[in-house]
Amino acid sequence: MKLLLRGGVAAVALFVAYAAQADEEANLVINEEIEITVRTDAPEHLENLNTIYSGWVFRSSETQALQMDDFENPGMIYVDNALEAWSNVEGSEGKSCASCHGAPEDMAGVRPVYPKWNDAAEEVRTIAMQVNGCRTEQMGAEEWKYDGGDMLAMEGLLASVSRGMPVNVAIDGPAQSMWEKGRDIYYTRFGQLDLSCANCHEDNYGNNIRADHLSQGQINGFPTYRLKNAKLNGVQSRFRGCIRDTRAETYGVGVEEMIALELYVASRGNGLSVEGPSVRN
Amino acid sequence: MKLTRRHTLLMAFGSAAAAMLPLRAFAAVEDEIAAFTGGAAVGSEGITLIAPEIAENGNTVPIEVDAPGAEAIIVFAAGNPTPAVATFNFGPLAAKQSASTRIRLAGTQDVVAIARMPDGSFVQASQEVKVTIGGCGG
Amino acid sequence: MAENVTPRVRVPRDATAGEEITIKTLISHTMESGQRKDGDGNVIPRSIINRFTCTFNGETVIDVTLEPAISTNPYFEFQAIVPESGTFEFTWYDDDGDVYTDSKDIAVS
């Protein structure tokens, strides 16, 4: 595997001219008013990095432009759908999200601290788990598919009202053991290609792997509209894609390892702004 | 040359970087162009095509066409399975004969824009867009 | 019937007579190209928006013929002259016969 990376590093010299299409110094202001922190000092627990960067910084200028305006951002189509769903009464209790939570804007501050420990449920919960918890326990409605269209649209809505706020997930207290589990997974090599998350996203961000311009793998921008499949994508689906790309058997969406990984990776972005729904390739 | 593993990898990386699918044949689109122009001669002044040099993803490539005074602009993707992309017909209330949109490109190829002017003449602009595939984008 | 097809348009609310304005339009539509195959290897038939028009008080601003190479969620940006107050009408025509519309009023001072 060292051979692969060594060859890759040499070939990167061929790439740099092409990769110049990305403007890594650019700043992101959405709708000319929401300032997004796309680069900042790495959080203390992150020993191997000095600066953390949002995935936005690594994309081509055309892709970056798509996120600067809510009309241009194709991910906002799904947020509009979720806005409608927000007021839909569903389930045996005759409630909608709005009945308890008010307007979506009132949910600002929620996305930046997820995944987080839920005392009543005695577990670390991702936003999807919390939404389904509300649906089944409070609304008497059916669960949404974890990474299905309805859930991702709602995640997009919840992210959008927190844009500009710094990610701030707790890594201590009751969440600590999950966080440590996630950290261990992050640094474990998997699959036939024997790659860990860190091999690409910590050791080689900014370089190219084949034709891909590697980011730091931050998830402050999720859910993200990928140009590749022209729809919103969730964090855990993306993890599955990455793990599959190391030619490993991937974890299922929603299992403990995925929750742990999501918590840990989110904490690597503490300080970056919530950006979702973002636009990536 | 002796193909060591490193050589093969470097060649693979180099070629993947430049997305060297065989450059799609321009000839395939000539019939469609002729259908639009009626075989007339095509000039090159007065039309602008803006497209990225490298498309981050072939699924959604932003382009812009502009031909002051044109009646219509037709856009082709010379290497797509079906080259026609769109035809923009401008009405009397179009402030500029320009339009932006997002298109799909199946691989590295030339994007061609041809404008029909009110006097029956045609002008054309084209640009190669590199479409990268492969990588760990999943 | 294509599902969940929602048009969105952005038009300034007001303008001066004869001003050139920028209009942006987006419609959520899969734009099934006819090139993809399903799990069994059968071609998924083409099903796209094939035409988009924008008129103002009945006069054409732009009339676009779309082919399968237009991306999912077709987006168009173009410029219009606004001679007087009135209404922009936007129309999208689907292969399956459906027609989607949206309209925006603009006040001219």
Side-chain angles (χ1 to χ4, degrees):
Chain A
M1 273 315 110
K2 288 218 184 104
L3 191 64
L4 186 120
L5 283 176
R6 221 181 282 146
V9 166
V12 159
L14 284 173
F15 288 58
V16 168
Y18 290 138
Q21 299 293 314
D23 182 0
E24 296 192 11
E25 302 302 313
N27 287 317
L28 174 57
V29 181
I30 298 179
N31 299 333
E32 294 177 352
E33 56 177 7
I34 311 176
E35 285 193 27
I36 303 287
T37 304
V38 293
R39 60 183 71 78
T40 188
D41 294 334
E44 247 188 80
H45 68 83
L46 195 38
E47 295 164 348
N48 301 334
L49 291 176
N50 291 326
T51 313
I52 52 176
Y53 300 95
S54 160
W56 182 84
V57 151
F58 297 92
R59 307 273 56 94
S60 75
S61 46
E62 293 87 12
T63 308
Q64 288 178 332
L66 287 176
Q67 204 180 317
M68 285 160 122
D69 178 297
D70 277 355
F71 191 91
E72 305 269 343
N73 184 337
M76 293 302 287
I77 300 176
Y78 305 90
V79 172
D80 282 349
N81 293 344
L83 267 170
E84 281 185 37
W86 182 261
S87 314
N88 279 353
V89 170
E90 268 189 275
S92 57
E93 306 305 303
K95 293 183 188 165
S96 68
C97 313
S99 313
C100 296
H101 291 294
E105 292 71 35
D106 298 336
M107 300 297 278
V110 170
R111 167 66 172 83
V113 298
Y114 267 83
K116 74 173 193 171
W117 178 262
N118 182 303
D119 261 337
E122 289 185 358
E123 60 180 2
V124 169
R125 280 192 168 178
T126 62
I127 286 200
M129 293 163 75
Q130 186 58 45
V131 167
N132 273 339
C134 279
R135 285 180 64 81
T136 52
E137 292 153 33
Q138 263 70 273
M139 288 166 72
E142 279 186 26
E143 277 196 355
W144 275 340
K145 185 156 173 277
Y146 201 105
D147 249 9
D150 290 322
M151 183 63 81
L152 291 173
M154 187 56 70
E155 288 190 30
L157 174 59
L158 291 171
S160 71
V161 299
S162 287
R163 280 181 297 181
M165 301 178 70
V167 174
N168 187 18
V169 303
I171 67 176
D172 54 7
Q176 184 167 348
S177 62
M178 266 301 228
W179 180 83
E180 285 171 357
K181 182 174 189 148
R183 183 195 57 200
D184 292 342
I185 296 176
Y186 193 87
Y187 286 99
T188 303
R189 289 175 178 268
F190 286 94
Q192 292 182 333
L193 295 185
D194 209 34
L195 291 170
S196 71
C197 313
N199 289 142
C200 289
H201 291 297
E202 191 172 273
D203 302 336
N204 278 293
Y205 68 88
N207 292 337
N208 278 56
I209 184 157
R210 296 179 67 196
D212 250 331
H213 192 198
L214 282 172
S215 71
Q216 275 187 348
Q218 301 288 356
I219 60 175
N220 59 310
F222 273 82
T224 182
Y225 183 89
R226 293 194 67 184
L227 301 180
K228 176 189 147 84
N229 59 12
K231 59 179 190 166
L232 279 186
N233 292 260
V235 175
Q236 294 191 10
S237 291
R238 189 65 196 94
F239 287 164
R240 274 169 63 83
C242 279
I243 296 170
R244 191 195 59 229
D245 288 338
T246 67
R247 312 250 176 91
E249 193 79 48
T250 84
Y251 298 114
V253 158
V255 305
E256 192 177 281
E257 286 88 349
M258 283 294 206
I259 301 169
L261 195 52
E262 187 175 332
L263 172 60
Y264 176 69
V265 177
S267 79
R268 288 174 69 91
N270 277 351
L272 293 174
S273 300
V274 170
E275 231 181 272
S278 57
V279 182
R280 304 283 187 260
N281 66 325
Chain B
M1 101 192 186
K2 182 163 171 249
L3 271 187
T4 63
R5 190 144 72 113
R6 182 180 303 205
H7 276 128
T8 318
L9 285 169
L10 280 175
M11 274 163 35
F13 279 21
S15 60
M20 281 300 126
L21 298 174
L23 191 57
R24 311 280 179 132
F26 191 93
V29 82
E30 305 235 307
D31 291 340
E32 304 213 17
I33 293 179
F36 183 68
T37 63
V42 180
S44 61
E45 295 290 314
I47 178 168
T48 314
L49 164 65
I50 301 177
E53 263 186 63
I54 305 178
E56 186 126 63
N57 192 291
N59 221 6
T60 309
V61 183
I63 64 162
E64 186 183 328
V65 291
D66 186 3
E71 287 180 341
I73 304 178
I74 191 167
V75 180
F76 292 106
N80 272 1
T82 54
V85 175
T87 309
F88 299 96
N89 298 291
F90 300 103
L93 288 185
K96 293 203 184 89
Q97 286 70 39
S98 75
S100 303
T101 185
R102 300 168 187 161
I103 70 175
R104 295 168 171 155
L105 295 177
T108 295
Q109 61 186 286
D110 285 339
V111 176
V112 182
I114 306 174
R116 183 180 71 234
M117 309 307 286
D119 64 3
S121 65
F122 296 88
V123 289
Q124 168 181 307
S126 85
Q127 183 191 307
E128 181 190 78
V129 178
K130 289 187 177 39
V131 176
T132 56
I133 57 166
C136 288
Chain C
M1 163 86 168
E3 287 183 13
N4 260 331
V5 181
T6 316
R8 318 161 84 209
V9 299
R10 179 180 280 183
V11 176
R13 259 194 301 262
D14 42 51
T16 55
E19 187 180 338
E20 296 181 2
I21 61 164
T22 300
I23 295 181
K24 299 185 183 186
T25 70
L26 187 62
I27 186 164
S28 55
H29 192 286
T30 328
M31 296 292 282
E32 192 61 65
S33 65
Q35 297 290 334
R36 297 198 310 159
K37 297 206 167 105
D38 64 19
D40 300 324
N42 304 313
V43 170
I44 306 174
R46 163 185 153 152
S47 183
I48 68 168
I49 303 267
N50 58 50
R51 185 173 171 219
F52 164 72
T53 65
C54 168
T55 63
F56 182 73
N57 290 349
E59 279 214 81
T60 303
V61 178
I62 198 170
D63 186 333
V64 187
T65 308
L66 290 79
E67 307 285 349
I70 296 291
S71 297
T72 303
N73 303 330
Y75 169 85
F76 294 113
E77 181 181 325
F78 50 93
Q79 324 286 324
I81 306 172
V82 192
E84 63 208 358
S85 298
T87 308
F88 282 99
E89 302 280 348
F90 305 91
T91 314
W92 292 261
Y93 300 85
D94 197 317
D95 273 350
D96 67 10
D98 284 328
V99 179
Y100 316 101
T101 61
D102 200 348
S103 66
K104 277 283 191 288
D105 294 330
I106 188 167
V108 161
S109 45

